[in-house]
Amino acid sequence: MSYSNRRYEGRLVLIPHAQSAFATLHVGIQPVDSIKSVLEGAETKQLYQVEEIGSSFTSGDIYNLPFLFHKEGEPWHEANSYLLSLIENKTLSNRPTDDLRRRASKLLDYLIYCESEGLNWLDFSGRRPVLRPTYKYFAHLINHSGRSSAVVNQYTGVVFDFYRFVCANWHDIDLQRVDTVKEVKFLIKNAYGAARVITAEKRSQTKSTV
């Protein structure tokens, strides 16, 4: 099933039913409580599937899972891996994909921008921030997208969170070249005068909503 936004047609696809999304496959050796499985195109048929811990029947299945593609038709592996990671460690009874679909559409908007501008989304070699893809995209959102400050911040927030995942799991990118992040602290007092300090991140690619 394709995403309803025409701009994303063929680029963001919803998988209606991903069965046993986080099960593991074993080759040759049959683990306890595993079931025989078949991997299409594999040379061996000695495959055994072990369901994730705690799952039974269809409890490990994911519904309406977003899946992203490059313009050439190749899956965007890093983004799809990121989206799966967001629900992998959630409880089996709490795996809605609404947030995944919203994040997927924002990531695809970023990828389409990079493609249209001839930018490599992995290239952060530019000496100045304005020469790097995320900073160019931020400027585009501010000057040409017509989106509010709050929405712009949502888009850049998803993109930055994605790069945080990519840096940790896929590519050797300096996250500080993706966006400049500072740690800020807030002192908050309750009605009884008790105070506590809250630490948060402040990214440079945000607009004031005040």
PDB file of all heavy atoms in Angstrom, residues 188-208:
ATOM      1  N   ILE A 188      14.096  24.567  38.167  1.00  0.00           N
ATOM      2  CA  ILE A 188      12.640  24.596  38.300  1.00  0.00           C
ATOM      3  C   ILE A 188      12.262  24.418  39.771  1.00  0.00           C
ATOM      4  O   ILE A 188      12.795  23.541  40.457  1.00  0.00           O
ATOM      5  CB  ILE A 188      11.996  23.485  37.451  1.00  0.00           C
ATOM      6  CG1 ILE A 188      12.305  23.724  35.969  1.00  0.00           C
ATOM      7  CG2 ILE A 188      10.491  23.439  37.666  1.00  0.00           C
ATOM      8  CD1 ILE A 188      11.725  22.675  35.061  1.00  0.00           C
ATOM      9  N   LYS A 189      11.343  25.260  40.235  1.00  0.00           N
ATOM     10  CA  LYS A 189      10.849  25.159  41.605  1.00  0.00           C
ATOM     11  C   LYS A 189       9.374  24.794  41.588  1.00  0.00           C
ATOM     12  O   LYS A 189       8.612  25.271  40.750  1.00  0.00           O
ATOM     13  CB  LYS A 189      11.038  26.485  42.346  1.00  0.00           C
ATOM     14  CG  LYS A 189      12.490  26.856  42.613  1.00  0.00           C
ATOM     15  CD  LYS A 189      12.576  28.133  43.441  1.00  0.00           C
ATOM     16  CE  LYS A 189      14.022  28.488  43.754  1.00  0.00           C
ATOM     17  NZ  LYS A 189      14.111  29.725  44.575  1.00  0.00           N
ATOM     18  N   ASN A 190       8.984  23.936  42.530  1.00  0.00           N
ATOM     19  CA  ASN A 190       7.573  23.584  42.622  1.00  0.00           C
ATOM     20  C   ASN A 190       6.859  24.518  43.590  1.00  0.00           C
ATOM     21  O   ASN A 190       7.451  25.478  44.109  1.00  0.00           O
ATOM     22  CB  ASN A 190       7.400  22.117  43.044  1.00  0.00           C
ATOM     23  CG  ASN A 190       7.991  21.835  44.420  1.00  0.00           C
ATOM     24  OD1 ASN A 190       8.190  22.740  45.233  1.00  0.00           O
ATOM     25  ND2 ASN A 190       8.263  20.562  44.691  1.00  0.00           N
ATOM     26  N   ALA A 191       5.592  24.261  43.854  1.00  0.00           N
ATOM     27  CA  ALA A 191       4.781  25.151  44.695  1.00  0.00           C
ATOM     28  C   ALA A 191       5.278  25.219  46.131  1.00  0.00           C
ATOM     29  O   ALA A 191       4.963  26.164  46.863  1.00  0.00           O
ATOM     30  CB  ALA A 191       3.326  24.684  44.666  1.00  0.00           C
ATOM     31  N   TYR A 192       6.077  24.225  46.539  1.00  0.00           N
ATOM     32  CA  TYR A 192       6.578  24.191  47.913  1.00  0.00           C
ATOM     33  C   TYR A 192       7.988  24.759  48.034  1.00  0.00           C
ATOM     34  O   TYR A 192       8.593  24.724  49.101  1.00  0.00           O
ATOM     35  CB  TYR A 192       6.556  22.755  48.438  1.00  0.00           C
ATOM     36  CG  TYR A 192       5.175  22.139  48.409  1.00  0.00           C
ATOM     37  CD1 TYR A 192       4.799  21.304  47.366  1.00  0.00           C
ATOM     38  CD2 TYR A 192       4.243  22.421  49.408  1.00  0.00           C
ATOM     39  CE1 TYR A 192       3.527  20.742  47.322  1.00  0.00           C
ATOM     40  CE2 TYR A 192       2.968  21.869  49.377  1.00  0.00           C
ATOM     41  CZ  TYR A 192       2.619  21.035  48.333  1.00  0.00           C
ATOM     42  OH  TYR A 192       1.363  20.492  48.294  1.00  0.00           O
ATOM     43  N   GLY A 193       8.522  25.263  46.924  1.00  0.00           N
ATOM     44  CA  GLY A 193       9.846  25.871  46.956  1.00  0.00           C
ATOM     45  C   GLY A 193      10.990  24.916  46.693  1.00  0.00           C
ATOM     46  O   GLY A 193      12.150  25.327  46.636  1.00  0.00           O
ATOM     47  N   ALA A 194      10.684  23.623  46.553  1.00  0.00           N
ATOM     48  CA  ALA A 194      11.739  22.650  46.260  1.00  0.00           C
ATOM     49  C   ALA A 194      12.211  22.843  44.819  1.00  0.00           C
ATOM     50  O   ALA A 194      11.400  23.022  43.903  1.00  0.00           O
ATOM     51  CB  ALA A 194      11.219  21.233  46.462  1.00  0.00           C
ATOM     52  N   ALA A 195      13.514  22.828  44.643  1.00  0.00           N
ATOM     53  CA  ALA A 195      14.082  23.095  43.315  1.00  0.00           C
ATOM     54  C   ALA A 195      14.785  21.858  42.764  1.00  0.00           C
ATOM     55  O   ALA A 195      15.312  21.034  43.507  1.00  0.00           O
ATOM     56  CB  ALA A 195      15.057  24.255  43.396  1.00  0.00           C
ATOM     57  N   ARG A 196      14.775  21.749  41.452  1.00  0.00           N
ATOM     58  CA  ARG A 196      15.530  20.695  40.791  1.00  0.00           C
ATOM     59  C   ARG A 196      16.034  21.216  39.455  1.00  0.00           C
ATOM     60  O   ARG A 196      15.458  22.137  38.864  1.00  0.00           O
ATOM     61  CB  ARG A 196      14.691  19.434  40.584  1.00  0.00           C
ATOM     62  CG  ARG A 196      13.482  19.593  39.695  1.00  0.00           C
ATOM     63  CD  ARG A 196      12.595  18.365  39.772  1.00  0.00           C
ATOM     64  NE  ARG A 196      11.406  18.478  38.942  1.00  0.00           N
ATOM     65  CZ  ARG A 196      11.262  17.904  37.756  1.00  0.00           C
ATOM     66  NH1 ARG A 196      12.250  17.176  37.262  1.00  0.00           N
ATOM     67  NH2 ARG A 196      10.149  18.040  37.062  1.00  0.00           N
ATOM     68  N   VAL A 197      17.120  20.620  38.991  1.00  0.00           N
ATOM     69  CA  VAL A 197      17.748  21.048  37.746  1.00  0.00           C
ATOM     70  C   VAL A 197      17.394  20.067  36.632  1.00  0.00           C
ATOM     71  O   VAL A 197      17.520  18.852  36.799  1.00  0.00           O
ATOM     72  CB  VAL A 197      19.281  21.140  37.895  1.00  0.00           C
ATOM     73  CG1 VAL A 197      19.929  21.485  36.561  1.00  0.00           C
ATOM     74  CG2 VAL A 197      19.645  22.177  38.952  1.00  0.00           C
ATOM     75  N   ILE A 198      16.936  20.600  35.516  1.00  0.00           N
ATOM     76  CA  ILE A 198      16.618  19.791  34.345  1.00  0.00           C
ATOM     77  C   ILE A 198      17.634  20.102  33.250  1.00  0.00           C
ATOM     78  O   ILE A 198      17.896  21.270  32.949  1.00  0.00           O
ATOM     79  CB  ILE A 198      15.195  20.078  33.835  1.00  0.00           C
ATOM     80  CG1 ILE A 198      14.162  19.636  34.872  1.00  0.00           C
ATOM     81  CG2 ILE A 198      14.942  19.369  32.508  1.00  0.00           C
ATOM     82  CD1 ILE A 198      12.733  19.905  34.453  1.00  0.00           C
ATOM     83  N   THR A 199      18.213  19.056  32.686  1.00  0.00           N
ATOM     84  CA  THR A 199      19.193  19.214  31.610  1.00  0.00           C
ATOM     85  C   THR A 199      18.540  18.884  30.272  1.00  0.00           C
ATOM     86  O   THR A 199      17.813  17.898  30.149  1.00  0.00           O
ATOM     87  CB  THR A 199      20.402  18.289  31.834  1.00  0.00           C
ATOM     88  OG1 THR A 199      20.993  18.592  33.099  1.00  0.00           O
ATOM     89  CG2 THR A 199      21.443  18.489  30.741  1.00  0.00           C
ATOM     90  N   ALA A 200      18.787  19.715  29.283  1.00  0.00           N
ATOM     91  CA  ALA A 200      18.213  19.499  27.958  1.00  0.00           C
ATOM     92  C   ALA A 200      19.234  19.865  26.889  1.00  0.00           C
ATOM     93  O   ALA A 200      20.262  20.493  27.174  1.00  0.00           O
ATOM     94  CB  ALA A 200      16.948  20.328  27.783  1.00  0.00           C
ATOM     95  N   GLU A 201      18.956  19.435  25.656  1.00  0.00           N
ATOM     96  CA  GLU A 201      19.807  19.771  24.524  1.00  0.00           C
ATOM     97  C   GLU A 201      19.210  20.949  23.757  1.00  0.00           C
ATOM     98  O   GLU A 201      17.999  21.034  23.588  1.00  0.00           O
ATOM     99  CB  GLU A 201      19.940  18.585  23.569  1.00  0.00           C
ATOM    100  CG  GLU A 201      20.772  17.439  24.088  1.00  0.00           C
ATOM    101  CD  GLU A 201      20.934  16.339  23.056  1.00  0.00           C
ATOM    102  OE1 GLU A 201      20.151  16.312  22.084  1.00  0.00           O
ATOM    103  OE2 GLU A 201      21.835  15.507  23.226  1.00  0.00           O
ATOM    104  N   LYS A 202      20.068  21.822  23.292  1.00  0.00           N
ATOM    105  CA  LYS A 202      19.632  22.930  22.440  1.00  0.00           C
ATOM    106  C   LYS A 202      20.393  22.839  21.126  1.00  0.00           C
ATOM    107  O   LYS A 202      21.616  22.937  21.095  1.00  0.00           O
ATOM    108  CB  LYS A 202      19.893  24.279  23.110  1.00  0.00           C
ATOM    109  CG  LYS A 202      19.477  25.470  22.240  1.00  0.00           C
ATOM    110  CD  LYS A 202      19.630  26.773  22.969  1.00  0.00           C
ATOM    111  CE  LYS A 202      19.322  27.960  22.069  1.00  0.00           C
ATOM    112  NZ  LYS A 202      17.987  27.876  21.450  1.00  0.00           N
ATOM    113  N   ARG A 203      19.650  22.623  20.039  1.00  0.00           N
ATOM    114  CA  ARG A 203      20.264  22.517  18.719  1.00  0.00           C
ATOM    115  C   ARG A 203      20.268  23.871  18.016  1.00  0.00           C
ATOM    116  O   ARG A 203      19.388  24.697  18.238  1.00  0.00           O
ATOM    117  CB  ARG A 203      19.502  21.505  17.859  1.00  0.00           C
ATOM    118  CG  ARG A 203      19.521  20.084  18.383  1.00  0.00           C
ATOM    119  CD  ARG A 203      18.750  19.135  17.464  1.00  0.00           C
ATOM    120  NE  ARG A 203      17.335  19.469  17.394  1.00  0.00           N
ATOM    121  CZ  ARG A 203      16.751  20.074  16.368  1.00  0.00           C
ATOM    122  NH1 ARG A 203      17.457  20.420  15.290  1.00  0.00           N
ATOM    123  NH2 ARG A 203      15.461  20.341  16.379  1.00  0.00           N
ATOM    124  N   SER A 204      21.257  24.067  17.153  1.00  0.00           N
ATOM    125  CA  SER A 204      21.324  25.329  16.411  1.00  0.00           C
ATOM    126  C   SER A 204      20.260  25.389  15.319  1.00  0.00           C
ATOM    127  O   SER A 204      19.815  26.475  14.938  1.00  0.00           O
ATOM    128  CB  SER A 204      22.715  25.510  15.796  1.00  0.00           C
ATOM    129  OG  SER A 204      22.956  24.546  14.776  1.00  0.00           O
ATOM    130  N   GLN A 205      19.835  24.229  14.811  1.00  0.00           N
ATOM    131  CA  GLN A 205      18.864  24.194  13.719  1.00  0.00           C
ATOM    132  C   GLN A 205      17.431  24.187  14.263  1.00  0.00           C
ATOM    133  O   GLN A 205      16.634  23.283  14.006  1.00  0.00           O
ATOM    134  CB  GLN A 205      19.122  22.978  12.832  1.00  0.00           C
ATOM    135  CG  GLN A 205      20.444  23.058  12.083  1.00  0.00           C
ATOM    136  CD  GLN A 205      20.818  21.762  11.406  1.00  0.00           C
ATOM    137  OE1 GLN A 205      19.977  20.920  11.125  1.00  0.00           O
ATOM    138  NE2 GLN A 205      22.102  21.576  11.145  1.00  0.00           N
ATOM    139  N   THR A 206      17.124  25.207  15.035  1.00  0.00           N
ATOM    140  CA  THR A 206      15.771  25.394  15.549  1.00  0.00           C
ATOM    141  C   THR A 206      15.403  26.866  15.428  1.00  0.00           C
ATOM    142  O   THR A 206      16.271  27.742  15.417  1.00  0.00           O
ATOM    143  CB  THR A 206      15.653  24.970  17.027  1.00  0.00           C
ATOM    144  OG1 THR A 206      16.606  25.707  17.810  1.00  0.00           O
ATOM    145  CG2 THR A 206      15.906  23.489  17.196  1.00  0.00           C
ATOM    146  N   LYS A 207      14.104  27.118  15.348  1.00  0.00           N
ATOM    147  CA  LYS A 207      13.602  28.485  15.314  1.00  0.00           C
ATOM    148  C   LYS A 207      12.845  28.773  16.594  1.00  0.00           C
ATOM    149  O   LYS A 207      12.183  27.895  17.153  1.00  0.00           O
ATOM    150  CB  LYS A 207      12.660  28.686  14.116  1.00  0.00           C
ATOM    151  CG  LYS A 207      13.344  28.726  12.767  1.00  0.00           C
ATOM    152  CD  LYS A 207      12.357  29.168  11.692  1.00  0.00           C
ATOM    153  CE  LYS A 207      11.918  30.611  11.907  1.00  0.00           C
ATOM    154  NZ  LYS A 207      10.980  31.071  10.849  1.00  0.00           N
ATOM    155  N   SER A 208      12.920  29.993  17.048  1.00  0.00           N
ATOM    156  CA  SER A 208      12.191  30.385  18.247  1.00  0.00           C
ATOM    157  C   SER A 208      10.690  30.327  17.976  1.00  0.00           C
ATOM    158  O   SER A 208      10.211  30.760  16.925  1.00  0.00           O
ATOM    159  CB  SER A 208      12.585  31.799  18.666  1.00  0.00           C
ATOM    160  OG  SER A 208      11.780  32.239  19.740  1.00  0.00           O
TER     161      SER A 208
END
